Amino acid sequence: MARGILVTTLVLLIGVPPTLSFVVFPELERRGLSTERAHRTALSAIGATLIGAGLAGTVLTVGNGQWSDVGSFVTWAGSTVTGRAWAAFIVAVAVAGAATAGRHVFPDTVSRRAWLGTVLVGALAMLIAFCWTRYSTAVETPTVAILVKVVHMGVVRYGSAASPCSPRFPR
């Protein structure tokens, strides 16, 4: 269950910021409508999704981790591939969360572009950390697993028949 929640949060965190940046906010502004409600909703949704990603990633990693074999949890996080991937994942969640909190508290200081860009980069870092240690036995290396996952998410997100980016989508 934690893996499904984590994958869902990653898909949202990778797909929502570009959608907000390139579709929602520009369209609202083009029509002369206020973006305030969409902005508040986006802040809440992205904040909750980041919390979900952090919790799911931690449950998945700690639940499957063999940290008791190396002594302490801190030693495990610094000395094993899984521990380092989890630490990188949590750092990415924290950076994206800090950008979201900064946008909420200081909306005039943290621009919408910087906020959404930081969330997107953080989500990509989370995806890389997640794929680094969790890939199919049919894939030989973590690098190939990451490439396949990123391409797959791009095709599913942007290349499906129902996608507005698809040439088959009726305009």
Side-chain angles (χ1 to χ4, degrees), residues 84-142:
R84 287 190 298 270
W86 174 79
F89 182 88
I90 293 302
V91 166
V93 169
V95 168
T100 301
R103 177 68 181 172
H104 179 71
V105 175
F106 307 109
D108 296 332
T109 305
V110 179
S111 71
R112 184 171 64 206
R113 172 181 267 175
W115 164 53
L116 292 172
T118 303
V119 170
L120 178 60
V121 170
L124 291 172
M126 288 180 247
L127 178 65
I128 290 169
F130 174 67
C131 291
W132 196 258
T133 58
R134 288 170 177 73
Y135 52 90
S136 169
T137 55
V139 179
E140 294 178 13
T141 65

Side-chain angles (χ1 to χ4, degrees), residues 15 35 42 50-51 58 74 78 80 82 98 101 104 115 117 132 148 154 158 168 170:
T35 60
L50 284 166
I51 290 168
T58 299
V74 174
T80 65
T82 305
H104 179 71
W115 164 53
W132 196 258
V148 167
Y158 298 109
R168 296 175 296 207

Side-chain angles (χ1 to χ4, degrees), residues 6-169:
L6 181 57
V7 170
T8 302
T9 59
L10 290 175
V11 168
L12 288 171
L13 290 170
I14 290 171
V16 168
T19 303
L20 290 171
S21 292
F22 299 116
V23 179
V24 175
F25 290 125
E27 186 62 22
L28 288 172
E29 290 166 351
R30 185 181 71 77
R31 293 178 184 220
L33 301 172
S34 172
T35 60
E36 198 169 318
R37 178 186 273 171
H39 182 261
R40 281 193 317 269
T41 303
L43 275 170
S44 299
I46 288 175
T49 305
L50 284 166
I51 290 168
L55 291 173
T58 299
V59 166
L60 188 62
T61 302
V62 173
N64 295 332
Q66 304 293 323
W67 59 274
S68 60
D69 294 345
V70 276
S72 71
F73 181 75
V74 174
T75 304
W76 169 81
S79 65
T80 65
V81 174
T82 305
R84 287 190 298 270
W86 174 79
F89 182 88
I90 293 302
V91 166
V93 169
V95 168
T100 301
R103 177 68 181 172
H104 179 71
V105 175
F106 307 109
D108 296 332
T109 305
V110 179
S111 71
R112 184 171 64 206
R113 172 181 267 175
W115 164 53
L116 292 172
T118 303
V119 170
L120 178 60
V121 170
L124 291 172
M126 288 180 247
L127 178 65
I128 290 169
F130 174 67
C131 291
W132 196 258
T133 58
R134 288 170 177 73
Y135 52 90
S136 169
T137 55
V139 179
E140 294 178 13
T141 65
T143 308
V144 173
I146 292 167
L147 180 64
V148 167
K149 183 64 78 178
V150 169
V151 169
H152 176 254
M153 288 181 81
V155 168
V156 168
R157 174 85 176 121
Y158 298 109
S160 68
S163 171
C165 298
S166 172
R168 296 175 296 207
F169 188 81

